[in-house]
Amino acid sequence: MTYPWGTILGYFLASCFLLILIYVHIKIKAERNIFFQQLEHSENYKNQLTSSLDALSDPMWIKGKDQTYIYCNPAFEQFIGLSKLEIIGYKDEEIQSQHAQLSQNIIPTITSNEETGTTEEYVCLPCGNVDYFQVSTERIYDISNKLFSSVGHAQKITLFIERESELVDAEIRVNEALKLTKVGIWEWDVSKDIWFATPSYFTMLGYAPVEGMADRKAELEKIHPEDRQHVMDSINNILTSKSESNYYKYQARIRHIDGNYRWIGVRCIVTEFDQEDKPARMLGVRIDIDEIQKAHDQVEWLAHHDSLTKLPNRVALNKTFHQIIKPNTKIALLFIDLDHFKNVNDTLGHSIGDKLLLTVADRMRTLVNNIGYVARQGGDEFIILLPADNEECLIEKTCAIKEALSARYNIDQHQFFITPSIGVSLYPRNGEDFDTLYQRADAAMYHAKHTGRNRYAFFTEEMQAISTRALTLGNALHDALERQEFSLHYQPQISLITGKIIGAEALIRWHSLELGHVSPGEFIPLAEESGQILAIGEWVLRETARQLKQWLEEGITPVRIAVNLSYAQFQVNDLPAIVAAILNEYAVPAQYLELELTERIATKDPEHTITILESFQQLGIHTSIDDFGTGYSSLSYLQRFPVYKLKIDQSFVRNMTTNTNDQVIVGTIILLAQQLGMTTIAEGVETKAQLEMLYNIGCDDIQGYYISRPIPAEEFKIGFLQKKQRFLVAQD
Ligand SMILES: Nc1nc2c(ncn2[C@@H]2O[C@H](COP(=O)(O)O[C@H]3[C@@H](O)[C@H](n4cnc5c(=O)[nH]c(N)nc54)O[C@@H]3COP(=O)(O)O)[C@@H](O)[C@H]2O)c(=O)[nH]1
């Protein structure tokens, strides 16, 4: 049998072709399915992307490679004020030419970004607002590096810019304020050693501000060499965690650009620590405290110095004393007080007084320099510390100081002398602490003063008691007037010719609540030293006037009452007016008052004495010169003093019956008074012999225990004023 090979082959080929066709068909169908699936996927993706971009509030756009818009979101439509239809498929210049209403810069702003990059521009929006935009363009290239498309994005940054500019403004303002307040702030990144400071940090000391990182080490070099170590120690303590706190402060002098140093206060805090708990970042502030520091230094200086003489004061000397005492050292403390310094102030004025103190300080400095220390305690009191290992040398030095201070002073047109009284105490013999030594030298000085002045005295235990008494009296005297502890006693004055009473001397008495009776001989000098004599003296005048008035009102004819005037009272220029006012107040005739002025006071400034005495004369007040013979009245002045009476000092009367010298003096005074047309009164008459001698040589009146001691007003009234008798009769 013959096989139809041709037919079989034909069928076979046809079957194969059919199979191939089926396969191709199936494959194509499968691939088509994948393709459509992918297409659907991509479409979804595109839609998602588009809706996301559409939802963006910032304008976004995409241009094709030919620069036509292929996409823009609604924000972009709003941004340029056109719809998608008017944008998509067009180029910028086409849009610009088709829509003349578009603002001038909106399209150039966008088209200008042909390269990838970001620009910031002001854009005038269709609504008319001008806003600041950041425009970013990203150009996209295909695999063969050909431009495929570009994507653009615009973001309104007006607010950021405003905030940023506000921040910049605020920073400028803060920096200006910091400059004004002279406060500088710095920050130090310790780990990287990066250091920044505000402009004020530099400008506060005259330097130009440093932008950005500054040179910390250069800043440290500006610290005064004496303060540098202390500053470095403060910083290192913090850095090495030696300090317990995370904070430090110091004050140091820092060099100003002009080369001078200014005091700067620094405070610093660690703001960050590293993993090892070491400071990683520090923030500091520095303040110009130069003026405060200088004011503080000034206060400190004033607290330890005397502003007139620039000498250290007692507080400073006390410190010095404790610095120089060592075992076996011997030191002398000299307490120096100028005698009658008050008179210089009162007569020549305070300016001369000040110049005198300056000269005194200079003389002391010159003498004591290199071997001791001088300080001013206040007023006319100075303190000196001298070595006292060799007592002879100490005495020599003390004498030299006394002589130097006693030498003549030429101040302005005045030439005068002043003397010192010096008290000396010794360390450790008289005391081991400064205050004890000071107090004991003061006691010795008091002794020197009361034993004649212009001398020095070394402290002894007896002096302590005297000076303690003076201190106690001084304190008690302070309140005596207020407590009404004073009273007046009256000592009668009798005429040797008529034997009748012609007057009395008013003498103050003090009965202190704590101290009992204190003699005026003791407290009057103290009151004169302290100035309390002015108030006390006025009280005496007032009390005398009051008593006279009382006697007058009682119908008793009083006698003239003599009141003692102290030097300080006599220096008060309106003293005549004060006395006149007192007499007026009590309606007492001036004839009943006599004012006694010692010869020493009268001769101190004779011209002043004459002026004041003339005023009293015009008021009808009698004046007399007390303690006559003890001063040095010049005859020429004496005859010009309008006084009616000389009172012979009791020291001459006391011995006149046994001492021819005193007798001659008393006789001469009486003759002198007669020649000058004045009367005489002898005080301190205690015996009949004295009385007789005085009578025989022509003395007019007497006063003394022989007649009566000073007695209280009532006793005086009964014993003398009410008795119209002669108190001296022939057999006396
Ligand atoms: N500025 C003022 N000074 C006053 C005042 N009152 C008194 N004084 C002065 O105090 C000093 C002491 O006074 P006093 O203790 O009162 O002594 C006076 C008489 O008591 C005393 N005297 C009087 N007669 C005798 C006597 O026979 N013997 C004797 N031993 N003493 C006697 O003399 C003093 C009077 O002195 P004088 O003033 O110089 O006349 C004394 O310096 C008073 O001046 C006052 O108010 N203000």
Side-chain angles (χ1 to χ4, degrees):
M1 158 174 166
T2 316
Y3 289 96
W5 291 106
T7 310
I8 291 170
L9 185 64
Y11 277 117
F12 175 73
L13 285 172
S15 302
C16 284
F17 181 68
L18 189 66
L19 277 173
I20 288 166
L21 267 180
I22 290 166
Y23 171 77
V24 168
H25 176 76
I26 291 168
K27 178 122 180 131
I28 286 170
K29 201 172 174 194
E31 280 182 358
R32 257 188 72 193
N33 280 347
I34 290 169
F35 172 76
F36 280 115
Q37 268 173 13
Q38 279 179 345
L39 195 68
E40 195 184 332
H41 219 85
S42 143
E43 200 55 34
N44 282 345
Y45 182 69
K46 187 189 151 204
N47 285 342
Q48 271 175 18
L49 199 69
T50 310
S51 6
S52 303
L53 293 178
D54 282 352
L56 274 180
S57 57
D58 288 341
M60 275 229 51
W61 64 95
I62 303 174
K63 290 179 185 172
K65 58 184 168 197
D66 59 350
Q67 293 295 305
T68 56
Y69 284 90
I70 54 174
Y71 168 78
C72 72
N73 66 358
F76 184 78
E77 291 176 278
Q78 223 179 342
F79 178 57
I80 63 167
L82 297 176
S83 72
K84 265 192 181 106
L85 282 174
E86 293 164 308
I87 300 167
I88 307 296
Y90 297 103
K91 293 181 182 172
D92 284 327
E93 48 277 22
E94 289 165 355
I95 297 171
Q96 183 75 63
S97 64
Q98 282 166 26
H99 305 281
Q101 82 279 12
L102 281 181
S103 91
Q104 287 304 304
N105 71 342
I106 196 157
I107 293 299
T109 299
I110 296 159
T111 53
S112 66
N113 287 334
E114 288 201 341
E115 293 302 325
T116 294
T118 302
T119 57
E120 286 174 5
E121 304 279 347
Y122 277 105
V123 177
C124 182
L125 296 174
C127 62
N129 287 352
V130 176
D131 272 316
Y132 201 62
F133 280 87
Q134 189 182 63
V135 181
S136 313
T137 312
E138 190 68 45
R139 290 168 78 83
I140 299 163
Y141 298 89
D142 63 13
I143 332 162
S144 53
N145 213 17
K146 284 196 181 138
L147 180 67
F148 176 70
S149 68
S150 63
V151 181
H153 169 244
Q155 188 186 12
K156 192 162 103 177
I157 55 168
T158 318
L159 255 173
F160 295 126
I161 293 298
E162 276 171 10
R163 293 273 150 80
E164 195 180 295
S165 109
E166 275 169 21
L167 276 176
V168 171
D169 284 353
E171 196 183 330
I172 291 170
R173 282 200 296 275
V174 167
N175 279 332
E176 286 305 311
L178 288 175
K179 267 193 231 167
L180 276 180
T181 52
K182 294 193 179 169
V183 172
I185 296 172
W186 54 260
E187 192 174 25
W188 181 25
D189 182 335
V190 184
S191 43
K192 296 183 193 141
D193 199 13
I194 298 174
W195 193 82
F196 292 96
T198 56
S200 57
Y201 179 94
F202 302 97
T203 53
M204 67 194 276
L205 288 175
Y207 298 95
V210 175
E211 290 278 335
M213 203 176 124
D215 186 349
R216 190 178 73 87
K217 293 202 175 90
E219 289 306 310
L220 291 174
E221 308 247 295
K222 291 178 190 160
I223 299 171
H224 192 286
E226 285 172 18
D227 301 338
R228 206 169 290 157
Q229 193 52 49
H230 154 66
V231 172
M232 296 310 291
D233 288 349
S234 304
I235 300 172
N236 288 336
N237 277 351
I238 281 276
L239 291 179
T240 54
S241 309
K242 273 190 198 152
S243 162
E244 280 182 6
S245 74
N246 63 341
Y247 166 86
Y248 71 80
K249 60 177 182 177
Y250 62 80
Q251 290 170 3
R253 286 160 289 176
I254 315 268
R255 200 173 55 245
H256 190 274
I257 197 161
D258 65 12
N260 293 317
Y261 284 89
R262 288 183 75 83
W263 278 102
I264 301 292
V266 174
R267 278 159 193 260
C268 165
I269 189 158
V270 180
T271 49
E272 262 177 55
F273 289 88
D274 62 14
Q275 285 158 343
E276 288 165 28
D277 218 21
K278 291 223 164 96
R281 193 175 277 274
M282 282 155 74
L283 185 71
V285 54
R286 78 175 189 182
I287 305 168
D288 187 330
I289 53 162
D290 200 60
E291 273 154 36
I292 300 168
Q293 185 67 33
K294 281 183 182 148
H296 175 268
D297 289 350
Q298 179 74 0
V299 169
E300 182 76 0
W301 191 89
L302 285 173
H304 291 93
H305 289 83
D306 159 48
S307 53
L308 175 69
T309 60
K310 314 275 183 277
L311 283 172
N313 61 14
R314 184 179 151 183
V315 177
L317 198 71
N318 189 342
K319 281 190 183 166
T320 308
F321 172 78
H322 286 102
Q323 281 158 9
I324 60 172
I325 49 162
K326 291 185 185 74
N328 301 324
T329 35
K330 287 183 181 164
I331 295 166
L333 191 151
L334 277 64
F335 192 114
I336 300 172
D337 185 284
L338 301 179
D339 300 328
H340 303 299
F341 171 73
K342 196 172 172 298
N343 294 355
V344 176
N345 266 344
D346 291 347
T347 53
L348 302 175
H350 282 83
S351 140
I352 300 288
D354 283 355
K355 287 180 184 170
L356 169 65
L357 290 172
L358 283 169
T359 315
V360 165
D362 279 347
R363 289 185 187 182
M364 285 191 202
R365 267 197 204 103
T366 313
L367 275 166
V368 172
N369 232 353
N370 303 326
I371 57 157
Y373 303 88
V374 189
R376 183 175 172 214
Q377 145 76 12
D380 59 346
E381 293 172 351
F382 295 83
I383 320 168
I384 293 179
L385 292 178
L386 285 178
D389 304 293
N390 182 328
E391 220 155 284
E392 251 177 56
C393 288
L394 172 65
I395 292 174
E396 234 172 71
K397 200 74 197 169
T398 308
C399 286
I401 292 168
K402 186 176 86 66
E403 292 313 315
L405 297 186
S406 310
R408 188 172 56 197
Y409 292 86
N410 295 309
I411 295 173
D412 293 349
Q413 72 277 27
H414 305 283
Q415 293 191 344
F416 55 90
F417 293 90
I418 197 151
T419 54
S421 293
I422 306 175
V424 187
S425 64
L426 299 171
Y427 169 85
R429 194 191 303 164
N430 302 139
E432 298 206 346
D433 61 274
F434 183 84
D435 286 342
T436 309
L437 286 167
Y438 170 85
Q439 189 208 331
R440 297 195 156 181
D442 185 11
M445 186 279 294
Y446 185 81
H447 178 82
K449 207 151 262 241
H450 288 88
T451 49
R453 304 175 198 265
N454 190 21
R455 61 186 61 200
Y456 67 84
F458 277 69
F459 173 79
T460 63
E461 289 301 328
E462 299 77 62
M463 289 174 189
Q464 186 64 54
I466 297 167
S467 114
T468 309
R469 166 82 177 162
L471 193 70
T472 317
L473 284 184
N475 289 339
L477 197 56
H478 206 262
D479 304 321
L481 261 182
E482 211 171 287
R483 292 183 181 178
Q484 302 183 335
E485 292 178 345
F486 293 121
S487 64
L488 285 187
H489 280 193
Y490 299 86
Q491 187 173 35
Q493 298 175 334
I494 307 293
S495 162
L496 279 176
I497 301 154
T498 64
K500 288 188 176 172
I501 182 161
I502 49 102
E505 181 179 5
L507 292 157
I508 194 166
R509 295 294 175 258
W510 177 25
H511 188 85
S512 157
L513 211 62
E514 299 113 23
L515 306 165
H517 175 74
V518 185
S519 150
E522 199 179 5
F523 75 81
I524 291 285
L526 284 177
E528 277 170 347
E529 266 169 41
S530 68
Q532 284 163 296
I533 194 68
L534 286 177
I536 295 174
E538 190 172 328
W539 179 85
V540 174
L541 282 166
R542 209 166 269 284
E543 174 58 15
T544 306
R546 191 204 59 77
Q547 186 59 69
L548 283 165
K549 181 186 169 153
Q550 187 184 319
W551 285 328
L552 285 166
E553 282 173 352
E554 287 171 17
I556 294 161
T557 314
V559 284
R560 185 175 299 136
I561 306 291
V563 168
N564 290 283
L565 285 182
S566 72
Y567 178 72
Q569 275 177 290
F570 199 64
Q571 287 308 113
V572 176
N573 275 334
D574 57 352
L575 179 68
I578 294 173
V579 177
I582 292 172
L583 289 177
N584 205 28
E585 186 183 330
Y586 291 94
V588 171
Q591 69 187 65
Y592 289 121
L593 182 66
E594 176 177 326
L595 296 173
E596 281 189 14
L597 191 68
T598 65
E599 188 184 9
R600 279 172 207 276
I601 297 176
T603 51
K604 251 183 195 167
D605 181 358
E607 291 301 337
H608 174 74
T609 303
I610 292 165
T611 314
I612 301 284
L613 292 181
E614 279 173 353
S615 304
F616 286 132
Q617 194 182 37
Q618 278 161 21
L619 290 167
I621 298 167
H622 286 70
T623 49
S624 57
I625 295 190
D626 196 6
D627 301 342
F628 196 80
T630 54
Y632 303 94
S633 302
S634 100
L635 202 57
S636 59
Y637 277 124
L638 194 57
Q639 57 190 350
R640 288 178 59 203
F641 289 158
V643 293
Y644 90 111
K645 193 191 257 183
L646 297 183
K647 197 171 194 182
I648 304 164
D649 189 66
Q650 54 180 291
S651 60
F652 305 116
V653 177
R654 191 175 302 130
N655 300 320
M656 64 182 289
T657 51
T658 50
N659 184 319
T660 341
N661 249 359
D662 288 349
Q663 197 183 325
V664 171
I665 291 171
V666 174
T668 312
I669 294 172
I670 293 169
L671 275 175
L672 180 71
Q674 286 167 353
Q675 293 302 312
L676 294 171
M678 299 174 186
T679 59
T680 45
I681 180 166
E683 67 176 343
V685 180
E686 292 183 357
T687 65
K688 190 174 177 192
Q690 289 165 344
L691 183 148
E692 282 172 354
M693 190 172 274
L694 287 164
Y695 177 77
N696 289 332
I697 54 177
C699 183
D700 299 301
D701 308 317
I702 57 159
Q703 174 187 339
Y705 294 171
Y706 185 71
I707 305 294
S708 166
R709 284 181 174 266
I711 45 176
E714 193 59 15
E715 220 177 291
F716 176 70
K717 181 179 87 174
I718 298 164
F720 290 91
L721 292 183
Q722 288 180 327
K723 286 189 180 153
K724 301 264 182 261
Q725 67 184 66
R726 292 168 64 133
F727 295 96
L728 292 172
V729 284
Q731 63 267 30
D732 277 339

